[in-house]
Amino acid sequence: MDLEKDVVEKIIVNSEHLKKWASGFEKKRYLFPKILSTSPQYFVGVSGMRGIGKTVLMLQAANVAKNSVYYSVDSTFLQQHSVYEIVSALAKDFSNVFIDEIQ
């Protein structure tokens, strides 16, 4: 089943909005260069306590990584879709997909 085009567009618009918001944070976490230097064939996971900057870190990386999109699994409008469905739809247009709240 293909993800509806309006859902994908909503993800992209939300991603651009959040990436713009995160660009206001100039300080980068120590993991920032490590995430960006990881080979594109790998997945990178970041874990930690709430409120330590994981989301901002991902958004900052998404701003630097070419052809990237960010989304949060806990978005209410995405609850009826699986991570696989969403990533499959986004991978058609984006080479870097940053997924938040994937627990």
Side-chain angles (χ1 to χ4, degrees):
M1 179 176 129
D2 281 342
L3 206 61
E4 300 86 16
K5 189 173 185 164
D6 61 322
V7 173
V8 173
E9 288 175 9
K10 193 170 183 178
I11 292 170
I12 295 167
V13 167
N14 191 48
S15 172
E16 292 304 314
H17 172 75
L18 289 169
K19 286 168 37 175
K20 184 177 179 182
W21 169 78
S23 67
F25 296 94
E26 292 181 24
K27 182 177 180 180
K28 305 285 192 284
R29 301 281 179 192
Y30 72 96
L31 283 176
F32 184 79
K34 200 167 214 131
I35 288 173
L36 293 177
S37 66
T38 302
S39 174
Q41 294 88 355
Y42 292 97
F43 294 94
V44 176
V46 179
S47 65
M49 295 176 9
R50 291 181 58 164
I52 62 169
K54 297 180 300 291
T55 297
V56 172
L57 171 67
M58 276 200 293
L59 288 165
Q60 288 173 328
N63 272 326
V64 174
K66 292 180 180 171
N67 200 21
S68 66
V69 65
Y70 162 93
Y71 85 94
S72 181
V73 172
D74 66 357
S75 295
T76 54
F77 72 95
L78 296 175
Q79 288 181 349
Q80 62 197 22
H81 304 286
S82 72
V83 172
Y84 179 80
E85 282 179 294
I86 296 166
V87 172
S88 294
L90 293 173
K92 294 174 185 173
D93 297 314
F94 297 94
S95 54
N96 294 295
V97 179
F98 292 83
I99 309 169
D100 203 358
E101 301 294 343
I102 197 165
Q103 67 268 7

